[in-house]
Amino acid sequence: MRHMKTHSNEKPHKCTMCDRAFKTLASLQNHHNTHTGVRPHKCKQCEAAFTTSGELVRHIRYKHTFEKPHKCTECDYASVELSKLKRHMRSHTGERPYHCPHCNYASPDTYKLKRHLRIHTGEKPYQCEICGAKFTQSNSLKAHRLIHSGNKPVYQCELCPTTCGRRTDLKIHMQKLHSSEKPLQCKKCLQEFPDRYSYKMHIKTHEGEKCFRCDQCDYAAYSMRLLESHVLTHTGEKPFICEICGATFRQKQLLRRHKSLYHTPEDDLILVEQAKPKRARITTEHISTPLTAEQVLQGSLLNDMKEGKLGEAPKVVIVHPDGRVEEVTRQLQSLAQQHGLEEVMMKMATVNEQSEVWKLGGEGRGISRREVGVGGYTAAIVTCSTTQTRRSHDENGHCERTVRGMETGW
DNA sequence: CGGGTTAGCGCCCTCTGCTGGGAAAAA
DNA sequence: ATTTTTCCCAGCAGAGGGCGCTAACCCG
Ligand SMILES: [Zn+2]
Ligand SMILES: [Zn+2]
Ligand SMILES: [Zn+2]
Ligand SMILES: [Zn+2]
Ligand SMILES: [Zn+2]
């Protein structure tokens, strides 16, 4: 009979304050105390009090004895509760049982999923009481509040006088300025330096020096660029040609001034001119290491296209090896509508075969052009972008921040 | 039966640290 | 003037701590 009772679902003890019922009087009493707030089990070492003895014991382990009965077999983690150890074990196994219904994120525990879901619902429960800014996570708000308060933490770099306002930024500083990849060479004296910090310190020692001497006269320049244009006064070259009237200039600045004085701002597609070897020499030092076509297309152009940063109607031309210039904007636009952007960029990649991209062009206000030269082909994209900087990604998928701009006058 | 113990589910909080966007500053 | 670098900051995931409550189990 007793066996029957313990295993039956009989719940004879009903709560008077809600509709729940319990098997034993004791569990009813515990439950009833949650209604009344009665907490018979008081902690002897602090003010805490609990409805059940079990809660008290757990509290004492957490706050006073730090006894952690559940040990991890893989590391030295130990926990008060078994469920915490189980949760911990998922960090070893990588198990992620909780899947987001809106994206492919999966979480190792329920809380992270719940927190993640806010990015789909747009919920931002944490609000700054000073400026009203809202955040999805409490710590984002906490970090934000620092910008209002005067006493920000200071993280001092041990290798230089730099200080940062947060640990992460100091770490970035360390790897950016104090970690050695390739040695950097000073352009003025050819000395090499192991990291960026010592390199920059060295550069300062050249401040004001005219290190770039002309070998045909006494002239000396502060920079290579200035020397390059000076050398032209000896040869009489004027490599900057106005493509509208044919006037020639020795310096880019002068060509620019000429255009602004005598020509209205050009807003039509300007066909790509053939490469100018003389100028190419000057820009050699600015050409970065080759990127693969895929990197460029995915990292920069494709993203820009997706984000609509190429302006209303990107104008794309392809320069064939024989010098023939083909305007493919229309084709690409209709392709984009038919297949989506990925397809379009694949089309470009196909046009350019699997050769290496050797140059990636820069940006500016108003009309700007970028070229993606691949093997014998050069594709140029003429945009109406108003944004400041372009980004690309390196071979590890890390954001490379800026794409090297082009110096040449096309 | 009563009281303690253990598992278990759930809720919520904090600390931590990486990433990438964008503005300002420097070149 | 434009391009490159630096600084600053929000977004967001990983890991863990503590508590509320209940059901099952154990044992005198
Ligand atoms: Zn009740
Ligand atoms: Zn206590
Ligand atoms: Zn472990
Ligand atoms: Zn999601
Ligand atoms: Zn604020």
Side-chain angles (χ1 to χ4, degrees):
Chain A
M1 183 56 203
R2 176 184 167 183
H3 181 269
M4 284 301 289
K5 189 158 190 176
T6 55
H7 286 282
S8 75
N9 287 326
E10 267 183 72
K11 291 177 177 176
H13 303 90
K14 293 191 171 69
C15 175
T16 56
M17 301 179 71
C18 72
D19 56 3
R20 294 200 57 177
F22 299 86
K23 283 184 191 174
T24 68
L25 185 58
S27 45
L28 199 226
Q29 264 157 5
N30 281 338
H31 167 80
H32 197 261
N33 284 340
T34 69
H35 286 304
T36 59
V38 174
R39 292 158 176 257
H41 300 85
K42 321 251 183 229
C43 178
K44 288 193 172 71
Q45 296 167 75
C46 74
E47 296 304 304
F50 302 89
T51 53
T52 66
S53 62
E55 290 167 86
L56 209 213
V57 170
R58 189 174 59 176
H59 161 81
I60 289 169
R61 286 179 180 155
Y62 267 127
K63 308 296 272 192
H64 304 303
T65 66
F66 305 108
E67 180 196 354
K68 297 174 179 179
H70 304 95
K71 322 275 183 197
C72 177
T73 55
E74 303 287 310
C75 70
D76 55 2
Y77 176 77
S79 68
V80 172
E81 298 173 84
L82 181 60
S83 63
K84 296 298 191 286
L85 177 61
K86 288 181 174 173
R87 182 178 68 181
H88 165 81
M89 291 313 289
R90 294 192 202 115
S91 70
H92 290 304
T93 65
E95 189 195 358
R96 289 164 178 273
Y98 305 97
H99 292 266
C100 173
H102 302 104
C103 73
N104 60 3
Y105 173 73
S107 164
D109 63 59
T110 53
Y111 179 72
K112 283 197 264 291
L113 176 59
K114 179 180 172 128
R115 188 179 60 182
H116 165 88
L117 284 172
R118 290 182 197 143
I119 72 181
H120 296 302
T121 63
E123 187 197 1
K124 294 183 175 182
Y126 307 96
Q127 182 164 26
C128 173
E129 48 287 300
I130 293 173
C131 73
K134 292 181 172 182
F135 303 88
T136 57
Q137 294 189 12
S138 62
N139 217 55
S140 297
L141 173 58
K142 186 179 177 185
H144 165 88
R145 279 202 261 253
L146 283 178
I147 74 179
H148 295 307
S149 96
N151 54 336
K152 301 170 186 179
V154 174
Y155 294 92
Q156 173 70 55
C157 175
E158 294 179 351
L159 301 175
C160 76
T162 302
T163 61
C164 295
R166 59 204 74 209
R167 195 194 310 273
T168 296
D169 286 341
L170 183 59
K171 190 186 173 193
I172 289 170
H173 163 82
M174 289 300 283
Q175 60 195 38
K176 188 89 184 161
L177 279 97
H178 298 302
S179 69
S180 52
E181 287 175 9
K182 296 161 195 168
L184 295 161
Q185 189 181 43
C186 173
K187 297 262 171 36
K188 296 192 172 182
C189 69
L190 305 186
Q191 242 180 290
E192 288 194 340
F193 298 89
D195 61 36
R196 204 175 167 75
Y197 178 70
S198 51
Y199 170 74
K200 289 179 85 165
M201 287 299 102
H202 168 79
I203 294 293
K204 285 196 170 181
T205 68
H206 284 305
E207 251 172 30
E209 287 181 47
K210 292 188 175 183
C211 296
F212 298 91
R213 292 185 193 78
C214 175
D215 55 6
Q216 298 175 56
C217 73
D218 287 340
Y219 176 84
Y222 290 111
S223 74
M224 192 57 173
R225 192 114 40 98
L226 289 171
L227 178 60
E228 295 279 0
S229 63
H230 163 81
V231 168
L232 299 176
T233 66
H234 292 298
T235 66
E237 268 180 75
K238 293 182 175 182
F240 295 93
I241 305 165
C242 174
E243 70 274 11
I244 296 162
C245 72
T248 58
F249 301 88
R250 205 162 269 149
Q251 294 178 28
K252 189 166 142 187
Q253 295 278 14
L254 298 177
L255 172 59
R256 200 196 308 270
R257 198 177 59 122
H258 159 84
K259 281 194 190 176
S260 68
L261 284 176
Y262 300 106
H263 304 300
T264 55
E266 193 56 64
D267 54 5
D268 270 342
L269 173 67
I270 300 164
L271 289 187
V272 182
E273 297 170 26
Q274 287 306 99
K276 301 168 189 164
K278 287 274 195 272
R279 294 298 300 168
R281 180 176 57 85
I282 292 174
T283 60
T284 303
E285 63 175 288
H286 299 284
I287 295 175
S288 56
T289 51
L291 303 171
T292 69
E294 194 185 1
Q295 283 163 2
V296 173
L297 295 179
Q298 290 187 351
S300 180
L301 297 182
L302 182 56
N303 283 345
D304 289 353
M305 229 170 174
K306 279 178 179 167
E307 294 167 19
K309 286 183 181 171
L310 291 187
E312 306 244 332
K315 294 170 176 139
V316 183
V317 299
I318 293 172
V319 182
H320 293 272
D322 56 12
R324 196 163 41 84
V325 177
E326 184 186 1
E327 220 273 25
V328 294
T329 312
R330 285 285 146 65
Q331 291 95 309
L332 288 179
Q333 279 175 343
S334 59
L335 266 175
Q337 287 169 358
Q338 285 170 29
H339 300 106
L341 296 170
E342 312 268 350
E343 294 278 336
V344 172
M345 300 319 293
M346 285 309 297
K347 165 77 175 172
M348 275 190 68
T350 306
V351 166
N352 292 318
E353 295 295 356
Q354 313 110 329
S355 324
E356 274 202 338
V357 172
W358 53 271
K359 217 193 272 181
L360 180 62
E363 285 306 310
R365 278 184 297 106
I367 310 294
S368 68
R369 305 174 200 84
R370 269 175 296 162
E371 63 173 340
V372 186
V374 182
Y377 289 88
T378 302
I381 294 187
V382 181
T383 75
C384 301
S385 165
T386 56
T387 52
Q388 175 192 14
T389 308
R390 291 284 169 241
R391 287 142 207 268
S392 71
H393 292 74
D394 67 17
E395 54 280 329
N396 301 320
H398 294 133
C399 184
E400 181 60 33
R401 291 282 144 166
T402 54
V403 173
R404 231 171 230 303
M406 296 218 327
E407 282 281 345
T408 48
W410 79 282

